[in-house]
Amino acid sequence: MPGPSASAGPPPRRLVALAPSAAEILFALGAGERVVAVPDLATDLPGAAGKVRIGGFTPDLERIVALRPDLIVASRDGTDRAAYEKLKALGLPVLATEARTVAGVLTDVLRVGDAIGEPAAARRLVAALSERIAAAEERAAGRKGTSPRVVVVIWPDPPVVAGPGTFVGDLLTLARLVNVVPQKAGEWPRVSHETLAAWNPDLVIHPETAENRAAFSRAFGPDGPWRLVPAVREGRVVTVSGALLERPGPRLVDALERLVAVGDPRRERP
């Protein structure tokens, strides 16, 4: 699903982002003026105001075609595969980001930078992000005591969690947090509350968004099914902005820094 990794001829002038992470990369590279459309969930990004909105995971293909884009930036996990294939079949240039790790995000930044004619900006951004990643890893390595055992819950009911083979799982590794989800469970497994109770994490971490806040409140409430899990019952729950934790874009480094702080035994526990 990758598509072109570099542009031929003049840089594309009309850019469409099909996933929030794709929009984040384009704005971070300074290409905001060329972005003509973003997905609905990317409207929180600086620069997204006034852009055409093209829907969610399954975008509005007719609207996209009508925009006459020079390049569409999609995402392996954040774009409907059928929509991606349809756009390609229509002859539209589509580049798919593919990050499964934090290092993969940096590679995606470089690929998008090449494709839009901003390779120097991409290299500068990657250098700055790499410096922050190294600093976060150093802080995590310098922590004293046992690393907390954690689970990252993407959706509460039915529970969907982040496995080790995902960019979220990679964040936990870099932050020196122990992911209780076994590799064999897969990337984004759906698990039972009984299984979560048996895993017995020290901390439960979840992304917080306007869209999921009510669902987590119900599930983690006094009568919710998550009371089976000691960490939830005892209030050992940490929230991280979903805009940082759920998007494989440049701000994933912000999530890493937050997770490093979560694992610091000197911080006040939730």
Side-chain angles (χ1 to χ4, degrees):
M1 185 178 172
S5 59
S7 59
R13 299 301 307 171
R14 297 179 62 79
L15 306 172
V16 169
L18 293 192
S21 58
E24 186 176 312
I25 291 172
L26 290 171
F27 286 124
L29 290 174
E33 291 186 0
R34 290 189 275 160
V35 175
V36 295
V38 298
D40 293 353
L41 291 179
T43 53
D44 63 302
L45 291 170
K51 307 296 184 183
V52 175
R53 295 170 59 172
I54 44 83
F57 179 75
T58 303
D60 185 330
L61 299 186
E62 290 186 7
R63 184 171 296 177
I64 293 169
V65 172
L67 289 169
R68 297 176 288 107
D70 299 316
L71 180 67
I72 299 168
V73 184
S75 165
R76 181 185 77 96
D77 288 328
T79 303
D80 177 61
R81 181 61 183 253
Y84 169 86
E85 295 294 349
K86 178 63 174 177
L87 290 168
K88 286 190 67 177
L90 291 171
L92 295 172
V94 186
L95 168 64
T97 59
E98 297 188 308
R100 290 179 172 88
T101 63
V102 175
V105 170
L106 303 184
T107 298
D108 281 340
V109 169
L110 293 173
R111 291 177 58 235
V112 174
D114 284 346
I116 66 171
E118 296 289 350
R123 288 193 297 271
R124 288 193 298 270
L125 178 58
V126 165
L129 294 173
S130 297
E131 184 175 337
R132 290 173 59 196
I133 292 167
E137 288 189 274
E138 184 176 354
R139 288 196 299 275
R143 286 198 308 255
K144 305 296 184 182
T146 304
S147 295
R149 299 172 65 258
V150 307
V151 64
V152 176
V153 184
I154 302 302
W155 188 256
D157 193 17
V160 176
V161 298
T166 64
F167 62 87
V168 174
D170 189 50
L171 279 178
L172 296 181
T173 299
L174 294 175
R176 299 224 174 181
L177 301 174
V178 179
N179 192 349
V180 300
V181 182
Q183 187 80 41
K184 65 182 180 181
E187 291 190 341
W188 309 100
R190 182 177 296 182
V191 297
S192 68
H193 297 96
E194 290 76 13
T195 295
L196 288 157
W199 286 342
N200 193 22
D202 300 317
L203 296 172
V204 171
I205 301 169
H206 75 84
E208 183 174 53
T209 67
E211 293 76 21
N212 72 19
R213 192 172 295 121
F216 272 102
S217 180
R218 287 192 301 270
F220 286 7
D223 300 318
W226 277 83
R227 305 307 290 177
L228 286 172
V229 181
V232 172
R233 191 167 61 244
E234 297 166 12
R236 289 181 275 122
V237 176
V238 174
T239 60
V240 180
S241 169
L244 307 181
L245 187 61
E246 293 185 295
R247 298 177 184 175
R251 292 193 298 176
L252 205 60
V253 178
D254 294 72
L256 172 60
E257 292 166 341
R258 166 79 167 125
L259 292 174
V260 169
V262 164
D264 189 338
R266 295 167 298 183
R267 72 181 289 275
E268 182 180 347
R269 289 294 181 206

